[in-house]
Amino acid sequence: MNDNGKAETKTGASSLPYAPAVTRNLAELLWTEYPGHHHQALSKAIVTPDLNGSKFFDHRISCYEPGAYVESHVHKVQEQIYHVLSGEGVLITDGERRVVRGNDVAFIPPGVVHELHCTGTDTLVFLVITTPPTDE
């Protein structure tokens, strides 16, 4: 770190300015039901360009109550990872149905039509990691 608070490269030159490092507890963040999400399909935005200045990631935790779902959709350029922590659901990718539960990880490339339903009797809890943060 130089005297101006900017990171330095090995040669001592300052790098591009980045947002500062951030640590938060999930309890500080509000649950939101985003457009296209239904029946208590809630998410907390954890790392996003708006919240933290992230340039490459959108990271969320989601909790879907039984019967909740995100409707069928597709991303033009975004890649997504769904990392299921607990509960059960059905992930549909390009028409193929697959049961997902704790410790399952799904990678969804751009252009793949997908939707996720909580079909179990408990809350489906999963992480969503998306890059780039916008689909433009």
Side-chain angles (χ1 to χ4, degrees):
M1 205 53 84
N2 68 17
D3 292 338
N4 296 325
K6 291 187 179 180
E8 291 183 347
T9 63
K10 288 184 180 181
T11 62
S14 60
S15 62
L16 294 174
Y18 286 96
V22 176
T23 301
R24 285 210 171 99
N25 187 284
L26 290 180
E28 299 174 45
L29 306 171
L30 299 177
W31 290 107
T32 302
E33 189 166 74
Y34 290 95
H37 296 70
H38 305 282
H39 307 297
Q40 293 296 303
L42 304 175
S43 296
K44 287 187 179 198
I46 301 169
V47 176
T48 70
D50 293 339
L51 288 175
N52 319 92
S54 169
K55 294 181 180 189
F56 304 107
F57 295 100
D58 182 302
H59 179 207
R60 300 168 190 231
I61 187 166
S62 296
C63 289
Y64 286 18
E65 293 301 318
Y69 67 97
V70 60
E71 61 192 39
S72 182
H73 64 287
V74 64
H75 302 285
K76 293 182 267 186
V77 297
Q78 290 176 311
E79 297 180 334
Q80 285 192 312
I81 297 169
Y82 288 179
H83 181 163
V84 180
L85 302 175
S86 61
E88 291 183 322
V90 171
L91 176 62
I92 303 170
T93 56
D94 282 341
E96 181 181 331
R97 299 169 60 93
R98 179 177 168 95
V99 171
V100 292
R101 55 179 60 100
N103 296 318
D104 284 342
V105 178
F107 170 68
I108 304 167
V112 173
V113 178
H114 57 286
E115 59 189 273
L116 180 61
H117 299 257
C118 178
T119 56
T121 57
D122 294 320
T123 305
L124 176 64
V125 181
F126 58 102
L127 300 174
V128 181
I129 300 99
T130 306
T131 189
T134 60
D135 203 27
E136 297 158 4

